[in-house]
Amino acid sequence: MGFPNGFNRLGFENKAALIKKIQDVICLINSLVVCQTSYQKWGVSLATDLKWLNAITGWDMTNEEFLQAGERIFNQKRLINMRRGYSGKDDTLPPRVMEKLLDLSDDEQKVPVSIQDQLQEYYTLRGWDKEGIPSHGKLLELQLAGC
């Protein structure tokens, strides 16, 4: 996924970038109708998927184009949801996830966590405005300007 170091599960560093990549990749995998468990169970990889896709279609899609397809799908989903009334106000997490454990040995001590900074970082990485709306430039880049 392009992240050389592991992640602190309770920290925020690089989480917005990780979430974006995972969302794009899952969109890609789902569009190929590939079983997600095949990646762990049978060692299938995105490189394998790309090789198979190019072989089946006769395309010569690059890795970058392949990953951008996942990003395009995610942005299309965002546009559809926006048309249905979804907005950046809906970009939140369940209350259980919004609690940060201060001391893992005593789960009674919890502090609510604000995700607003991370959300703005995520929007920036996505090429969206501060309200979570894909920018015109991002839509042009993904060839979705008419959507």
Side-chain angles (χ1 to χ4, degrees):
M1 298 290 289
F3 298 99
N5 300 321
F7 287 90
N8 173 355
R9 68 183 184 91
L10 297 177
F12 296 111
E13 187 176 356
N14 293 321
K15 290 288 177 76
L18 177 65
I19 295 299
K20 178 196 177 300
K21 282 190 177 189
I22 289 172
Q23 290 170 331
D24 292 348
V25 167
I26 294 300
C27 284
L28 192 55
I29 291 168
N30 289 342
S31 74
L32 295 171
V33 195
V34 176
C35 176
Q36 292 178 21
T37 59
S38 66
Y39 288 81
Q40 292 177 330
K41 202 169 189 177
W42 298 296
V44 175
S45 68
L46 288 177
T48 305
D49 285 339
L50 178 56
K51 182 178 176 182
W52 290 343
L53 181 65
N54 282 334
I56 292 167
T57 62
W59 297 341
D60 190 24
M61 187 180 278
T62 66
N63 188 51
E64 183 178 284
E65 292 168 331
F66 189 52
L67 293 174
Q68 189 180 53
E71 183 179 13
R72 184 178 300 113
I73 293 165
F74 193 86
N75 276 269
Q76 286 174 319
K77 288 170 59 173
R78 182 67 171 200
L79 293 171
I80 290 167
N81 286 332
M82 287 172 47
R83 285 189 195 122
R84 293 183 175 168
Y86 182 87
S87 73
K89 293 176 185 149
D90 299 300
D91 291 334
T92 188
L93 297 169
R96 175 73 177 119
V97 176
M98 295 297 293
E99 297 170 347
K100 179 180 178 183
L101 298 177
L102 288 178
D103 179 357
L104 293 177
S105 64
D106 181 6
D107 65 351
E108 294 300 315
Q109 295 181 332
K110 297 183 178 98
V111 173
V113 174
S114 171
I115 63 166
Q116 291 310 306
D117 290 341
Q118 290 77 33
L119 197 53
Q120 291 306 311
E121 179 184 352
Y122 172 80
Y123 289 165
T124 299
L125 289 168
R126 282 254 172 238
W128 298 352
D129 71 12
K130 65 180 181 166
E131 302 298 321
I133 300 170
S135 69
H136 183 69
K138 176 52 74 172
L139 296 178
L140 285 173
E141 174 190 327
L142 297 174
Q143 301 170 355
L144 297 173
C147 292

